[in-house]
Amino acid sequence: MAQVESVHPTEEVHGSFKTYTIGFLCSIILTMIPIAIVMNGWLEGVSNAVVLMTAAVLQLAVQLIFFMHLREEKKPRYNLFSLLLGLVILLVIVAGSMWIMLYNMVAL
């Protein structure tokens, strides 16, 4: 009888309850800070944008580290390259959309 191999290797490391709890609490905090700032009007202008973008970047880091286990794999380089490609595509889409919205002047 042939031996059936598992899709997931047995030595694959998943997060523990503690790491998932820490990641969840960090995500909640990094969500509540921007909500509180915007709803209460504590910051305006550039400082508001900087705090919101910083919270978004930290939220991305928490998601990658605690939930997607980017640092815990044997070969995280492949996931890192995929992440960088996704970020380049995202940057092109966002920058292109902003460029189109800013310079979309119809000549009369």
Side-chain angles (χ1 to χ4, degrees), residues 4-108:
V4 178
E5 291 185 23
S6 174
V7 176
H8 299 289
T10 55
E11 64 272 356
E12 186 175 328
V13 178
H14 289 286
S16 65
F17 182 74
K18 179 182 176 183
T19 59
Y20 282 128
T21 304
I22 292 171
F24 178 70
L25 292 175
C26 289
S27 294
I28 294 294
I29 291 168
L30 288 171
T31 301
M32 294 307 293
I33 290 172
I35 289 173
I37 289 172
V38 170
M39 294 296 287
N40 295 319
W42 291 337
L43 297 175
E44 294 179 8
V46 176
S47 59
N48 189 20
V50 168
V51 170
L52 295 179
M53 284 189 268
T54 303
V57 169
L58 290 174
Q59 182 77 264
L60 174 69
V62 165
Q63 296 295 322
L64 289 175
I65 292 171
F66 287 103
F67 299 116
M68 296 183 72
H69 312 292
L70 186 62
R71 64 183 171 163
E72 296 175 0
E73 295 183 2
K74 290 181 180 178
K75 294 182 179 180
R77 182 180 303 163
Y78 298 120
N79 285 341
L80 184 61
F81 285 148
S82 298
L83 174 66
L84 291 175
L85 177 63
L87 290 175
V88 167
I89 291 170
L90 178 70
L91 181 66
V92 167
I93 290 171
V94 170
S97 298
M98 290 177 65
W99 181 64
I100 288 171
M101 287 187 286
L102 287 173
Y103 298 106
N104 186 19
M105 296 186 188
V106 179
L108 296 176

